Amino acid sequence: MASRQEYIDKLKDKLSEWDNEIDKMEIKARQANEDLRHQWEKRKLDLKEKRQDLSSRMDKARNSADDTWDDLKRQMDETWDSVSEGIRDMKSKLFG
């Protein structure tokens, strides 16, 4: 099991990776057909909201008490999985 700091560092790296992927998808979406552009705009808002949620929870996790860490980690894992799935889904639509 990763320590709290290792988990936070991994999440921080993943957030940067997601930002890069979202930027690439934004460029690709501009070149896509109208239906895909519309799907992207809708998904982009959701992804950015969840990404912000993860960032906020990460900040809380840095300073959380040990008894709240497990609950915060569970919530972050659920959001992480949701963002990962959303990015994979949209990448497959945009990049084929």
Side-chain angles (χ1 to χ4, degrees), residues 10-22:
K10 183 179 176 182
L11 180 56
K12 185 177 175 185
D13 291 343
K14 196 63 174 175
L15 290 174
S16 293
E17 182 183 318
W18 285 339
D19 288 341
N20 290 333
E21 289 185 40
I22 288 170

Side-chain angles (χ1 to χ4, degrees), residues 8-95:
I8 290 170
D9 290 344
K10 183 179 176 182
L11 180 56
K12 185 177 175 185
D13 291 343
K14 196 63 174 175
L15 290 174
S16 293
E17 182 183 318
W18 285 339
D19 288 341
N20 290 333
E21 289 185 40
I22 288 170
D23 290 344
K24 289 176 187 175
M25 288 188 288
E26 178 70 29
I27 292 167
K28 187 69 171 178
R30 288 184 200 144
Q31 303 164 356
N33 65 47
E34 186 177 343
D35 183 48
L36 272 177
R37 281 194 310 268
H38 179 68
Q39 287 179 46
W40 166 247
E41 288 301 320
K42 190 174 180 181
R43 180 64 59 93
K44 178 176 68 170
L45 293 174
D46 182 53
L47 289 172
K48 287 188 174 195
E49 182 179 297
K50 287 179 180 176
R51 189 243 178 260
Q52 182 58 42
D53 179 51
L54 268 175
S55 182
S56 177
R57 288 178 196 264
M58 183 177 65
D59 290 339
K60 288 179 186 176
R62 282 190 181 110
N63 303 313
S64 68
D66 288 339
D67 61 335
T68 60
W69 165 242
D70 288 333
D71 189 45
L72 273 171
K73 185 179 180 301
R74 181 189 53 75
Q75 292 170 3
M76 288 188 293
D77 286 344
E78 289 171 1
T79 304
W80 178 315
D81 291 343
S82 178
V83 172
S84 293
E85 178 62 30
I87 286 176
R88 274 193 306 273
D89 179 56
M90 204 63 227
K91 278 177 74 173
S92 72
K93 289 178 181 177
L94 288 169
F95 294 98

